[in-house]
Amino acid sequence: MDKKRVVLCMSPWRPNDFFTGKFAEDVGGAWHPLGILSIAGMLEREGHRVMVLDGAFISFEDMVRMIYNYRPHLLGVYSNAFSLPRVSALAKAVKEVLPEVKVVVGGPITVGFNEMVLKQSECIDVVVVGEGEETIVELVEGLDERGSWGEIKGISFRDDGQIVSTALRKPIADLDNLPYPARHLVPLHMYRPPTGTYKRLPAVYIFSSRGCNGECIFCWQMSKRHEIRYRSAENVLGEIDQIVRDFPFIREIRFFDDNFAYNNERAFQICEGIIRRGYDLTFYASMRVDNVSKELFRVMRRAGFWGVMLGLESMVQKDLDAIRKGVKVDQNREAVYMAKEAGIETVTPIIFGLPGQTYEDGLKTIEEVCKLPTDYVNFHALTPFPGTELFNNVEKYGKLTTDRFEDFTFEGVAFTPYTMTREEILKLRREGFKRFYSRPAYLMKRAVNMKTWVDARVAVYGLRGLFRTIFMPNAFDPSSYNVS
């Protein structure tokens, strides 16, 4: 079989796709496309040639030109809900200059909406449902035998004008069998995480597991069984070894797992392996508050973890119960205090617009989170991403404020519960940022702890964001600005 040329890409995007208005300039960032790079690693292992294009740094016109010059046999494009219109536009533009190229779309939007994606654009040939590493290799190797696509699990495609969907592909069981992401295909030095979530640059991401055991109604999961699949500690440490060897300029590694600490034994093994190796790196991870302990935080600090994200979501128990968080408010508090006792900074997201939540409940959460010794808080609006329990049963919880997928961003107000208005959610977001970050004691603490140029940069962007929050009433309202 002849080896093929493949382009994998993120369609052109900007921070405004994730953060609203001018706030995007202060807190927005870019993270390298880890899923795409994992698929690229699989293709390279099979001997295929791969180009990766990230729309964070490439204009629409330049991306089309680069794809045309590479002449790929297959173009793979990542899509979530709000990027689908741009993905469709990219597929159309590429087909106009390369009509023979096969355009394949994958990503969160395809789960449950695979046929809708195909109907969105005649220029999209195939939709991959679920994890793409194994599927994309089979698609590339089946390009010369068009009739074999019906035997490939986990895809939808057109056959004589009819949409055909094959049997679902099971999630990859042995994650250790996957090659490490092909990070050499992107400019790692150009990526910067959102403000306040890094200590050193450049930074890269690692997935040491896939999935989550939680049942939150707003969270999209590949597996409906709510299970976690782990890579072994040895495999994870091997990837860190490779990063240190091949990309010696990297200064921070961020674990992108939904819940790094669910398997405490494995988390300890990873931390102890990092300590033995003595890397000149800092680390960051996301965790649930019900899977942490003083002992784990202590060993993480020794390993170089400067910060953790703890998804508090709310400080009102009925609101936590409404989203099936499965934790108590006291656990939220205890987790923050345990991390701080170990010398680890905390990033604690809060969500407004939860089912049954009132404006007064939101104010109570702001009041309580301001009492915690947490370092950073982002006040989000609840978003019903396609494929989640919230989206699939939206009338049970509230109502959509829009029917445009472009509005389903991390920061927009695409959903309101029956107990709150859109205006109240926007007001709570602004009030939360204003109250938390303008406290004199907090500002003094950040000033005293400012030790590096990164700390100074975070402070500058944070103060600018605070200024806009206080003096720009529409800072969080997407309808108050235009995005080109």
Side-chain angles (χ1 to χ4, degrees):
M1 182 197 71
D2 293 335
K3 299 304 179 182
K4 304 298 183 183
R5 293 184 305 277
V6 178
V7 171
L8 302 175
C9 72
M10 298 270 291
S11 62
W13 63 277
R14 295 295 177 265
N16 290 96
D17 295 337
F18 300 90
F19 302 97
T20 48
K22 289 291 185 180
F23 205 60
E25 299 175 13
D26 302 318
V27 302
W31 44 94
H32 63 289
L34 203 52
I36 285 177
L37 297 181
S38 181
I39 293 172
M42 282 287 285
L43 289 167
E44 287 193 331
R45 187 165 75 177
E46 298 302 318
H48 301 291
R49 294 174 55 192
V50 185
M51 172 187 281
V52 173
L53 301 175
D54 190 342
F57 312 114
I58 305 171
S59 69
F60 187 91
E61 294 76 16
D62 285 346
M63 182 170 287
V64 173
R65 177 182 54 79
M66 295 171 75
I67 294 170
Y68 174 77
N69 290 340
Y70 195 72
R71 299 292 203 283
H73 298 92
L74 183 145
L75 169 65
V77 190
Y78 170 91
S79 182
N80 46 36
F82 49 83
S83 67
L84 183 57
R86 299 183 187 185
V87 170
S88 300
L90 180 64
K92 182 176 184 294
V94 171
K95 282 284 193 177
E96 288 176 351
V97 295
L98 292 173
E100 298 303 316
V101 69
K102 299 302 179 185
V103 177
V104 179
V105 172
I109 187 62
T110 65
V111 178
F113 293 87
N114 44 321
E115 295 189 4
M116 183 273 289
V117 172
L118 284 172
K119 293 175 181 177
Q120 176 87 4
S121 172
E122 291 290 328
C123 297
I124 297 174
D125 299 298
V126 183
V127 168
V128 174
V129 182
E131 294 173 329
E133 286 92 347
E134 296 173 342
T135 307
I136 200 73
V137 170
E138 293 179 19
L139 278 169
V140 170
E141 295 179 349
L143 286 174
D144 297 328
E145 302 177 14
R146 176 70 169 76
S148 67
W149 281 6
E151 301 174 6
I152 299 175
K153 292 182 179 179
I155 66 171
S156 295
F157 63 98
R158 292 188 186 84
D159 187 13
D160 292 331
Q162 300 297 314
I163 294 178
V164 177
S165 295
T166 65
L168 293 177
R169 184 181 294 270
K170 292 181 179 179
I172 299 170
D174 185 6
L175 297 180
D176 281 2
N177 191 45
L178 294 175
Y180 298 142
R183 293 186 174 89
H184 60 281
L185 296 177
V186 295
L188 291 178
H189 64 283
M190 295 181 65
Y191 291 93
R192 176 178 62 83
T195 298
T197 65
Y198 61 89
K199 279 295 180 186
R200 301 170 74 192
L201 293 174
V204 297
Y205 291 83
I206 283 181
F207 271 117
S208 77
S209 65
R210 294 184 181 182
C212 181
N213 62 312
E215 298 185 2
C216 303
I217 65 173
F218 57 83
C219 189
W220 179 86
Q221 290 292 322
M222 184 74 67
S223 172
K224 299 305 179 185
R225 296 171 61 185
H226 299 280
E227 61 185 3
I228 304 178
R229 290 164 291 140
Y230 301 99
R231 295 168 56 194
S232 66
E234 293 77 13
N235 185 261
V236 175
L237 291 167
E239 183 175 353
I240 300 176
D241 289 339
Q242 185 217 39
I243 292 170
V244 171
R245 181 184 68 248
D246 296 347
F247 311 102
F249 55 88
I250 294 301
R251 290 292 172 263
E252 181 163 309
I253 291 179
R254 302 162 56 78
F255 286 90
F256 222 27
D257 308 39
D258 290 319
N259 187 4
F260 174 73
Y262 181 70
N263 184 329
N264 259 221
E265 180 180 358
R266 191 192 70 119
F268 272 99
Q269 291 172 351
I270 292 173
C271 291
E272 289 164 353
I274 291 172
I275 293 169
R276 287 194 301 271
R277 284 162 167 79
Y279 298 121
D280 179 21
L281 296 168
T282 49
F283 297 87
Y284 177 91
S286 299
M287 308 161 74
R288 279 178 59 99
V289 300
D290 53 347
N291 295 133
V292 302
S293 66
K294 292 181 179 180
E295 294 75 21
L296 179 58
F297 279 138
R298 289 192 190 108
V299 75
M300 289 176 68
R301 187 70 188 95
R302 286 178 55 216
F305 281 79
W306 71 267
V308 293
M309 176 181 287
L310 301 169
L312 305 188
E313 326 306 4
S314 174
M315 295 298 288
V316 175
Q317 190 60 51
K318 74 176 184 66
D319 292 343
L320 292 175
D321 295 340
I323 58 174
R324 303 180 190 173
K325 186 68 180 180
V327 301
K328 301 297 183 182
V329 169
D330 284 345
Q331 289 176 292
N332 281 348
R333 293 193 184 95
E334 291 167 5
V336 173
Y337 277 99
M338 281 192 289
K340 298 302 295 181
E341 183 181 327
I344 295 177
E345 294 187 28
T346 55
V347 179
T348 50
I350 294 295
I351 303 177
F352 295 129
L354 305 177
Q357 185 182 52
T358 65
Y359 183 75
E360 289 70 27
D361 293 331
L363 292 176
K364 177 66 174 177
T365 284
I366 295 172
E367 177 185 345
E368 292 299 318
V369 80
C370 285
K371 296 176 183 177
L372 296 176
T374 187
D375 297 278
Y376 303 99
V377 183
N378 196 359
F379 297 91
H380 299 276
L382 183 65
T383 302
F385 290 111
T388 63
E389 160 68 17
L390 178 61
F391 182 91
N392 294 338
N393 298 282
V394 67
E395 293 182 357
K396 175 181 176 182
Y397 301 106
K399 57 186 177 182
L400 298 178
T401 63
T402 178
D403 59 0
R404 291 171 11 107
F405 274 149
E406 299 99 306
D407 298 326
F408 284 67
T409 69
F410 294 115
E411 303 297 319
V413 183
F415 166 86
T416 56
Y418 294 120
T419 50
M420 206 185 305
T421 67
R422 180 178 183 276
E423 290 70 28
E424 287 176 324
I425 294 172
L426 291 171
K427 187 176 179 180
L428 281 171
R429 289 198 66 208
R430 181 171 177 266
E431 192 68 16
F433 280 104
K434 178 182 175 181
R435 287 197 194 180
F436 184 85
Y437 288 102
S438 65
R439 294 172 297 153
Y442 177 83
L443 294 172
M444 180 63 69
K445 181 181 73 171
R446 301 316 304 177
V448 170
N449 292 333
M450 196 181 304
K451 296 181 175 65
T452 68
W453 71 269
V454 171
D455 293 334
R457 178 175 182 166
V458 169
V460 169
Y461 280 99
L463 287 172
R464 191 168 71 176
L466 178 62
F467 178 86
R468 286 173 170 163
T469 300
I470 295 174
F471 295 104
M472 295 175 62
N474 296 325
F476 299 110
D477 189 351
S479 65
S480 67
Y481 66 95
N482 295 318
V483 180
S484 58

